[in-house]
Amino acid sequence: MGTPVIELRQVRRDYAVGEAVVHALRGVDLRIEQGEMVAIMGTSGSGKSTLMNTLGCLDRPSSGTYRLDGVEVQGLDDDARADLRNQKLGFVFQGFNLLPRTTALENVLLPMLYDRRGRFSDPHARALRALERVGLGERTHHVPSELSGGQQQRVAIARALVTDPALLLADEPTGNLDTHTTVEVMALFQELNAQGITIVIVTHEDEVAVYCKRAITLRDGLIERDVAVQGRRAAEDLGAWDRTGHRPQVDHLPEGRPPGEPS
Amino acid sequence: MKPTHLVGLALHSIRRNVGRSILTMLGVVIGVASVVVMVAIGMGAQAEIQARIDNLGTNMIIVTPGTSSRGGVSGGAGSMNRLTVDDAELLRREGQLLSAVTPVIFTRTRILQGGMNWFTTIYGVDTTYEQIRTWPVDSGRWFTAEELRSNRKVCLLGATVAGNLFPEGDPVGQSVRLRDVPFTVVGVLKAKGQTPEGSDQDDVILAPYTTVQTRLSGRQFIAQILASTWGKDDVPAAMEEVKVLMRESHDLSRGEDDDFEVKDQSQLGEAARGTTQVMTMLLSAIASVSLVVGGIGIMNIMLVSVTERTREIGIRRALGARRGDVLAQFLVESVVLSGLGGLVGAVLGVVITAVVGQVTGWATAVTTSSLALALAFSGGVGVFFGWYPARRAAALDVIDALRYQ
Ligand SMILES: Nc1ncnc2c1ncn2[C@@H]1O[C@H](COP(=O)(O)OP(=O)(O)O)[C@@H](O)[C@H]1O
Ligand SMILES: [Mg+2]
């Protein structure tokens, strides 16, 4: 195996709240390899968002080390982290976070505007290809308000992958979508993952996690459970759903081993 | 981000909120338009005064009797009137840099002419007065050196006098009585217009100074000596030369003050020019206040915009925008907003200036430099008043901004 995409060692994140200190992450060790598709789960307040912000270089750990695609993140200043986000990460948010009154194409062009390395010779063509890849080749000049939730999330995914990031980070990407659309979006993620893109999805829904290859559960700022997931095919579920008219039964996640134990 | 991107982004954002953008720009539009109009009116007034100064004569030097402190007693200006025809003669003879010299004697008089009654000033002058003041005749002719030498009772009428005494018909060849002395009108002068101070130069009668001295005023002293130089560049040196010659002529010893004053033509309009300059500055300053008010309007809307677009800022930062990129984005937006306002204001200012000029008949002058200045100023307003909102935008925390509802 080559360099892991993510390597966290004893990552802690403390928040000072008035006099008290909240330990949002309490020494997380995590390794995610190239080509994985990981769900990060846990109850509210377990530290998912904090972990997500850390992985996304939006926040810095209080202690511990974080390597993203071979780059030491702790110690980087604000500008360097902005550049790193631009080069290595693609974000997909729960609320889609597209710029309003801005066409799908312009939204997808956005991350390439902040490229400082001249990596993209023809951003326009690239953006069109990314939109085609998510099945929106026909909707490039629509603004978000003219698109359905699922379509908006596809635009956001196109925007996240247009720069060929080492890691695609999705924060509750299906939280605002109905079940059918959720499965559609998961089918898209699976397709992209099959093409080699490493994906981390924060979710609290089992029916999202079942389409991932690995599920990590946080509890009180620590990894409580880390299991391999049977690769269920979202595309097949969609086909069955459309054929039969009702939704296929989705099984629960398996009880897994605690982290650190050999499989 | 490339500058073209930033400008494109700014225009995009301005278009997203057309109505509000226009209202925001309005302050700058009005500010710039009023600066352009005020400066145009002021510059027009200055240009008119300059034209009047130029119109006074050609490379002209004026000698007048000055204040004297002889015997320790200081009199008022002109209290020791010691200019004489001899002084003028000396300047004519010795002045190397002077191309022409004339004494000038003033005397006020009433003229009775065929029932018409007119009060005016008679100037007793040399024939060189025509050249020095660039003042040819409109009809008839100038009096000659011969007529001057032999004290002939001939005169030239200024356009105003001619029009008043001879409402119809040619005055040339007619006779007018000046203090009961009959003079023959040999010519009518071309109209010359107003002095820089605004008095009518055509309300005048010119006659040989010899005749005026012997027949009308009877005084030995003269009011002014006018001289002109060969070239414009000679004026400063010629003024020095005149001073030296005048001191010589007046027999002043070292340590004694001049009892005369030497000015050049440009100094004549100084007071009037100073007034219009102050007026221009005052008007522009008042107009600039509205530009500043416009700037505050921009700052206000930019602050609102930063708050409204907090989430957008968060998205951009997550996708790789540095704080500097966000700062640049909002700063450029404010500058573009203000600059567009400046552009519209400049055009509006030119139009208003033209209308004001038409309606009032005032001289106006819209100069490229005043337009450029107004535009630069509006850009500056954009930077100045956009800075604080842009700083606020750049200072936002990514995570908070992303979470902002
Ligand atoms: N900015 C913050 N300031 C203070 N406490 C915070 C902050 N963000 C998160 N926390 C606390 O850290 C803990 C983990 O929160 P979070 O990472 O948001 O969990 P989750 O996303 O799983 O709900 C919670 O107790 C939360 O209250
Ligand atoms: Mg959360």
Side-chain angles (χ1 to χ4, degrees), chain A residues 78 83 86 97 114 116, chain B residues 311 316-317 319 322 325:
Chain A
D78 203 79
D83 292 351
N86 186 249
N97 274 347
Y114 296 107
R116 288 168 190 275
Chain B
R311 219 180 156 83
R316 289 180 184 275
R317 297 269 285 120
L319 298 182
R322 295 181 178 185
D325 291 322

Side-chain angles (χ1 to χ4, degrees), chain B residues 328-391:
Chain B
Q329 180 186 342
F330 280 87
L331 206 54
V332 168
E333 186 169 328
S334 146
V335 170
V336 167
L337 203 58
S338 165
L340 279 179
L343 216 59
V344 175
V347 172
L348 192 68
V350 171
V351 172
I352 292 176
T353 302
V355 171
V356 167
Q358 279 287 316
V359 171
T360 62
W362 295 345
T364 56
V366 177
T367 59
T368 24
S369 63
S370 82
L371 288 180
L373 199 73
L375 283 179
F377 211 55
S378 64
V381 161
V383 173
F384 187 82
F385 290 99
W387 184 255
Y388 175 61
R391 281 303 297 263

Side-chain angles (χ1 to χ4, degrees), chain A residues 44-45 47-50 171-172 202:
Chain A
S44 180
K48 300 187 296 296
S49 295
T50 305
D171 186 10
E172 304 267 9
V202 170

Side-chain angles (χ1 to χ4, degrees), chain A residues 53 58-59 78-79 82-83 85-86 91 97 99-102 110 113-114 116 159, chain B residues 1 5 12 16 311-312 315-323 325 329 398-399 402:
Chain A
N53 291 338
L58 298 168
D59 193 13
D78 203 79
D79 283 352
D83 292 351
R85 289 195 293 271
N86 186 249
F91 286 94
N97 274 347
L99 294 192
R101 279 168 286 188
T102 303
L110 208 51
L113 288 184
Y114 296 107
R116 288 168 190 275
R159 184 179 68 187
Chain B
M1 258 219 218
H5 273 140
H12 181 86
R16 255 189 344 194
R311 219 180 156 83
E312 171 186 332
I315 296 167
R316 289 180 184 275
R317 297 269 285 120
L319 298 182
R322 295 181 178 185
R323 288 191 197 278
D325 291 322
Q329 180 186 342
V398 203
I399 297 168
L402 274 173

Side-chain angles (χ1 to χ4, degrees), chain B residues 131-177:
Chain B
Q131 178 211 328
I132 295 169
R133 302 263 348 248
T134 336
W135 207 350
V137 288
D138 195 40
S139 67
R141 60 170 177 83
W142 258 82
F143 56 78
T144 62
E146 172 52 34
E147 285 166 331
L148 179 90
R149 215 169 312 130
S150 45
N151 299 9
R152 286 290 170 70
K153 290 172 282 180
V154 289
C155 70
L156 295 148
L157 303 187
T160 306
V161 175
N164 277 290
L165 295 183
F166 299 92
E168 57 242 12
D170 189 0
V172 176
Q174 304 279 337
S175 175
V176 288
R177 294 183 80 81

